[in-house]
Every structure is written in C-alpha cells, then in structure tokens.
Amino acid sequence: MEKAQRHPYLVNQAFREYLISTVLATAAVSIGVMVDGVIVGNLIGVDAMAAVNLAAPVLQFFNAITFLLNAGGATLAAHALGRRDLHDARSLFSLSMILSIVCGGGLMLARLISSDTIAGILCPSPTLRPLVLTYTRIALLSAPLYLLLPGLCFYLRLAGAPKKASWALVIANIANLLLDLLFIKGFGWGIAGAALATSCGFGIGLGLALFHFLSLNTTLLPTRPEWRRLPDLLFTGLPVAAASALLMVRLLGMNHLVVHALGSHGMQIMAVCFNLLMPASMVIGGISQTLQPVSGMLYGAEDFSGLRIAVATAFKVMFRWLLVMLLFFLLLPGKSAALFGVVPSPEVESAIRIFWLHLPLSGVNYLLMVVYQVTLRRKAAVAIAWLDALMVLPVMFLISLFSATGIWLAFVISEIVVLLLILCFAWQVRRKAPGLSYPTLLPQDVSDSLNFSIRGVKADFPAMMTEIQLFLGTYELPQKICIAVQLCCEELLINILEHAYRKDDPHRFVDIDLRKMPDKVVLSIRDDGQPFDPVACAASAGLGLRLVREFSSSVQYTRLAGQNFVTVSCNL
C-alpha cells in the first residue's frame, strides 16, 4: 500500500445517504409547489396563480422562522454528535421544538389581529387582493404545521432517519395535490381550497414525522432544554433564516417593481419564472440541507479532511444538476410557460431564459453561505444572506428606469456582484491565514494527528500498523501506550471485517483518525458496514474486544449517517 492518505469513500457514502433522501423530499416540495401552481392556474385561473405567488412572502416568512429555530439548532446538534455529546444534541432538539410551537401559536394570533393589513402590504393590485387575503388567512391559521413539519425533518435526518424525513414531506405534498383536486374541482372552494389542501397535507406529514420520535431507540429524544444555548442556536440559524426572511422582502419588492413596470402581464411572467425556479430550489436546497448535517458532524469532530471532501462533493453535484436544467429551460422556455396557462410569446421566452442564467451563480453564493455557517463564520454568512437577497432590488430599479423589459437581467447582474464581494472577502481572510482553502476558508488538519483510510482487507493491515507506529514514534510515548494503541486498532479492524463488512472487500474503506493530546491518545475508526456496537457486545465479546477494553481507558460507540463510529482513548 502507498503512503496512507484519506479516501473520499466514506464521506461520499454519508453524503449520498443524506442526499438521495433530502433531494427526494425537496423535490416533492418543489414539484408539489409547481404542480400546485399548474392546478391553480388551470382550474381557477391565472389571477389565482398570481395571487398565490403574491402570498408567497408569508410562506417564506414561515420558512425563515423554521430555519432560525431548527437549522441553527440542527447544525449545533451535528457539532455535538461529532464530538459525541448526546446530551447537548438532545437539549438543542427540545429547545427547537418548544420555540417552534410558541412561534406557531403567535402567528395564529396574527391572523386574528392583522390579516387585512398583511394582505394590503402583500398585494398592490385591488383586483387580486381578495384572493391574497383568503389564502393568507388560512396559511396563518396553519402556522404551527408549517413550522413543525420541516423543523422535525431537520432533526430526523440528523437522527439517522433521512428516509423517514423524506417520506413525511413526500406524503405531505402528495396529499396536498390530491386534496387540491378534491377541494377546488370537487367542492368548488377556489383559492381557499388550495390553501386548505396545503395545510392538511402538512398536518398529515407532521403526524408521520412525529411517529419516529415515539421510539425510544432514536438518537434524539426530548429532554430538558438548556436555555443558555438559545443565543447560540439563534445566531447559528440566522444566516439561512435571514436568507429566507429577506427572500420575503425580495419577493415583495420585486412584485411591486414588476407590477409597476410591466403590469399584471409582467406579474404572470414573474409567477411562471418563480414556479420554474422550483427544480433549482430542489437541487440547491437539497444539497445544502445534506451538507449541513454531514459537514456539521465532521466539523464537530475536527475532521477537516473529511469536511473538505464533503464541500467539494456538494459543489460538484450541484453544478452537474443545474447545468442539465439550465440547458432544458434555455431550449424549451415556451413549453414551460404553457404549463401554467400562460400563452408563450417572445417576451415570455426571453424572460425565462435570462432568469435561469442566474441560477448557477446563485447556487455558488448559497453554498458558500452554508459553508461559512457550518464553520461558524456567522457574520460573513449573514452578510451573504443580506446581499444575495436584496442586491437584486436596486439593480432591478435602475434597469427599469431605462428598459422595463430588461429588468430580468437584474437577477444575473446582482448574483455576479455578490459573488465578487464574497471572493474579495475570502481573499482578505486568506491573506491573514494562508493555510485556509480559497474561497471556502476551510481549515487544514489539526496538528498532532494522523488521518487516513485503508481498504477493507486484511492485506492492508501491515502497512497501516507501520503508519501508526511511525506516528506514535515521533512523540517518544511509553512503549505500553504504543502497543495498546496498535493492538486496539488491529482488533477493532478485525471485528469490522468479521461483523460489519463480514468479509474482505477491497471496494470499501475504513477511516482511521489518531490524535496525540496532552493527556491521552485518541483513536477513532469509522466504517459503513452493518451496525456493530463493540461496547454493547462487551459481555459476550471474544478475546480481541476484551483486550481492547483492558488496554484502553474508554471505548465509545455511536452510529451516525448509516456508519459505525468507535472511539478509543488511552490515557498517558
């Protein structure tokens, strides 16, 4: 075996484990919203579709609160799981759920107090305002459902059940579409039926998500929350929450500018563009929601080699998917508009083409914001959220002064400006800390550590033992410690092959992390085989595991992201 180095196999497996389920869930939500627009546009009319789009800032505000209370908490809980602090992870979960319930109740009261005022702010058109008011009132009454379902899904993924989170969201959206047909076409309830169908769908999905947490075997169980963690939770969730909340301001501002410059026809084009945005949101949202738990656990464990692999994988996957969609909408913009009952025209097709050109740039900016959030560069992440959401408004206003139909270029220009500002910021930070990667600003590996991978075959053991022996030899450690660490590593790997992988497999890899600390040596081993807990098997363990317990100071096991994590400490 060549000089030991880190292989991306396990990080990519964890990423894939979350990605498939998360994108499926995001796809269900995005396609559900898009098909919802198709149903509303064709069964009720294009005015109703425009009204739903005008009410979108309210739903975006719900998303912002969800991200603030749950994305931040889930990121910190991932850090906690990465450093094996289960109590802190459970406390953050409980805190997020309590806050979601309280905020949902507050939004229900807003419906009783100020729904007319909210509808007036959302809709500048007197013709569409009654439709917007009806939709908004039902959405506000359903606020707890809108907050709790996606919030629980953040923690379901973190608890190792991404498929259950996906199915909860998928079934919620299937129920929404079926109830759309029933309430709109069957009962004739119009736009009220569309709003009620969405609320009922979220309620069904919430019931499915809650069912998982009734099991005592789940990683995350409710416990007494530690309120001292509230500032950290809110500040960590602030970047993505700000991005979502400011998108509400962005939508509101753009709606007013488009209606002023192009009238109701322009608003119909805007509605088509934002409905067609859903597939891109599926990709960007799914990848970012995958990156948060995976990179959060790696960051908490100070596994910076794995963190760099995860971030690189996220960007590669995003670019591949966005390129395919970009080509589709550039070639077939007219057919895309016709789906929503809008008559294709050169103006409509040109707007769709220009609008879609900004998506790759938007994806880069959003993923960089998520990376900065996970690595606790919170101020930078918040600044990106503000810039990415609001930069388009002044640009759109300036362009509208010279060409009303040219306002669609504002999306591309604003994303270019934001990306240039991010690159300048990253360059300045890297000048002061040259070891950071550019432009993600990820740190290098921690000192006094050995991080590498071996294939799942016993033939690689001798070279592995040589690497460990050379690493330990640089610190002049007591001979008994060196022997103990090597013995523990070899015996644990034998158990992985026999119980987790159950045979030699050269196509699978095991990650090994060895760290010399002031008072101990810590060995961490990770594999993606069948669940196997050497701690739980201690009573009936063979000679190998008994030796591991005898020669080490502590042995810990956890299963995260479909992988086994074993940590052994040997006190000096």
Side-chain angles (χ1 to χ4, degrees):
M1 188 174 74
E2 299 178 358
K3 181 175 174 58
Q5 56 185 352
R6 183 66 175 270
H7 195 278
Y9 170 78
L10 281 176
V11 173
N12 286 343
Q13 284 291 98
F15 194 89
R16 194 176 297 113
E17 170 84 9
Y18 281 95
L19 180 65
I20 294 172
S21 300
T22 304
V23 169
L24 177 64
T26 312
V29 175
S30 300
I31 293 171
V33 172
M34 188 167 65
V35 175
D36 201 30
V38 172
I39 292 173
V40 171
N42 284 278
L43 293 185
I44 307 177
V46 291
D47 280 350
M49 184 182 71
V52 172
N53 194 66
L54 285 166
V58 172
L59 305 184
Q60 200 60 45
F61 182 63
F62 292 167
N63 285 337
I65 296 175
T66 296
F67 284 130
L68 181 66
L69 303 181
N70 297 286
T75 298
L76 292 175
H79 290 177
L81 291 175
R83 62 177 186 269
R84 312 296 185 263
D85 188 348
L86 186 57
H87 173 75
D88 190 35
R90 288 177 172 176
S91 173
L92 288 161
F93 165 62
S94 301
L95 188 57
S96 291
M97 292 303 103
I98 291 172
L99 292 171
S100 296
I101 293 170
V102 171
C103 290
L107 289 168
M108 290 179 69
L109 291 176
R111 183 261 185 236
L112 301 175
I113 299 171
S114 56
S115 57
D116 290 330
T117 304
I118 294 170
I121 295 171
L122 292 172
C123 184
S125 168
T127 305
L128 299 177
R129 194 172 299 150
L131 296 172
V132 174
L133 177 61
T134 300
Y135 195 93
T136 302
R137 281 177 170 171
I138 295 174
L140 287 170
L141 278 175
S142 310
L145 303 177
Y146 281 94
L147 301 188
L148 284 170
L149 174 58
L152 275 174
C153 287
F154 272 108
Y155 285 97
L156 264 176
R157 297 185 192 103
L158 193 59
K163 292 179 181 177
K164 292 182 180 179
S166 298
W167 278 112
L169 291 169
V170 168
I171 291 174
N173 280 274
I174 291 174
N176 172 26
L177 298 179
L178 293 176
L179 291 172
D180 261 340
L181 296 173
L182 177 64
F183 293 165
I184 297 173
K185 191 172 183 179
F187 296 164
W189 290 350
I191 198 168
L196 188 60
T198 304
S199 300
C200 292
F202 268 72
I204 293 169
L206 178 60
L208 295 173
L210 283 170
F211 186 76
H212 171 81
F213 292 99
L214 297 177
S215 170
L216 296 178
N217 294 324
T218 182
T219 304
L220 297 175
L221 291 170
T223 189
R224 184 175 181 178
E226 295 186 13
W227 291 94
R228 62 180 179 81
R229 297 287 273 150
L230 180 60
D232 283 340
L233 182 149
L234 296 177
F235 200 23
T236 303
L238 185 59
V240 283
S244 187
L246 292 170
L247 185 55
M248 177 188 68
V249 178
R250 170 179 167 140
L251 284 170
L252 188 62
M254 288 189 303
N255 288 343
H256 281 268
L257 286 169
V258 170
V259 169
H260 178 75
L262 299 173
S264 60
H265 178 62
M267 196 61 235
Q268 291 174 11
I269 298 175
M270 175 71 82
V272 170
C273 287
F274 271 85
N275 275 292
L276 293 176
L277 181 64
M278 295 307 165
S281 299
M282 171 190 76
V283 172
I284 298 171
I287 291 172
S288 64
Q289 289 182 38
T290 296
L291 187 61
Q292 281 177 323
V294 173
S295 61
M297 287 184 283
L298 292 168
Y299 185 81
E302 295 186 336
D303 183 358
F304 300 133
S305 293
L307 181 59
R308 289 193 296 274
I309 293 169
V311 171
T313 300
F315 276 98
K316 289 176 185 175
V317 173
M318 182 189 72
F319 279 128
R320 288 171 186 165
W321 286 19
L322 284 183
L323 180 60
V324 172
M325 285 186 282
L326 179 61
L327 290 174
F328 177 81
F329 287 109
L330 288 178
L331 294 174
L332 300 171
K335 292 185 178 180
S336 304
L339 283 173
F340 300 92
V342 175
V343 178
S345 67
E347 181 187 358
V348 172
E349 293 182 0
S350 175
I352 292 173
R353 287 192 177 104
I354 294 171
F355 179 83
W356 258 85
L357 287 174
H358 89 285
L359 263 301
L361 296 167
S362 176
V364 171
N365 293 338
Y366 194 85
L367 274 191
L368 285 173
M369 182 195 71
V370 171
V371 171
Y372 291 167
Q373 177 209 16
V374 169
T375 54
L376 302 182
R377 295 185 182 276
R378 294 162 176 160
K379 292 181 180 178
V382 171
I384 294 172
W386 277 85
L387 289 169
D388 200 44
L390 301 182
M391 182 65 72
V392 69
L393 296 180
V395 176
M396 182 178 282
F397 173 74
L398 290 173
I399 292 177
S400 69
L401 297 177
F402 302 96
S403 171
T405 57
I407 61 176
W408 310 109
L409 283 170
F411 293 98
V412 179
I413 294 171
S414 62
E415 293 296 345
I416 292 173
V417 172
V418 173
L419 180 57
L420 290 174
L421 291 172
I422 294 171
L423 294 176
C424 289
F425 162 76
W427 180 73
Q428 288 288 345
V429 173
R430 197 166 181 267
R431 283 183 62 192
K432 299 176 183 177
L436 299 177
S437 59
Y438 181 82
T440 53
L441 302 179
L442 298 176
Q444 298 297 317
D445 294 335
V446 295
S447 58
D448 298 331
S449 68
L450 175 66
N451 189 292
F452 65 101
S453 306
I454 68 165
R455 297 180 301 163
V457 294
K458 292 181 180 178
D460 283 355
F461 282 20
M464 171 199 70
M465 301 304 292
T466 300
E467 289 285 341
I468 293 175
Q469 188 174 13
L470 289 172
F471 173 77
L472 295 174
T474 60
Y475 298 101
E476 299 182 354
L477 297 172
Q479 186 69 15
K480 68 174 185 178
I481 294 295
C482 296
I483 293 173
V485 171
Q486 293 177 74
L487 183 144
C488 290
C489 186
E490 184 173 14
E491 292 299 333
L492 287 171
L493 284 167
I494 289 172
N495 274 277
I496 288 171
L497 296 186
E498 291 181 351
H499 299 286
Y501 287 171
R502 297 181 179 174
K503 63 177 182 178
D504 279 13
D505 190 342
H507 301 294
R508 302 172 84 171
F509 288 79
V510 179
D511 286 349
I512 298 169
D513 185 88
L514 187 60
R515 302 190 183 187
K516 160 66 174 63
M517 297 182 176
D519 59 340
K520 60 186 175 182
V521 176
V522 179
L523 171 68
S524 299
I525 299 177
R526 177 170 62 176
D527 69 84
D528 68 334
Q530 295 295 318
F532 177 71
D533 184 354
V535 178
C537 296
S540 58
L543 177 61
L545 287 182
R546 290 203 300 270
L547 287 172
V548 170
R549 296 187 63 83
E550 182 179 338
F551 277 81
S552 65
S553 306
S554 67
V555 182
Q556 293 178 306
Y557 169 84
T558 187
R559 187 167 176 87
L560 298 171
Q563 297 179 1
N564 299 304
F565 289 75
V566 179
T567 303
V568 176
S569 298
C570 296
N571 293 336
L572 298 177

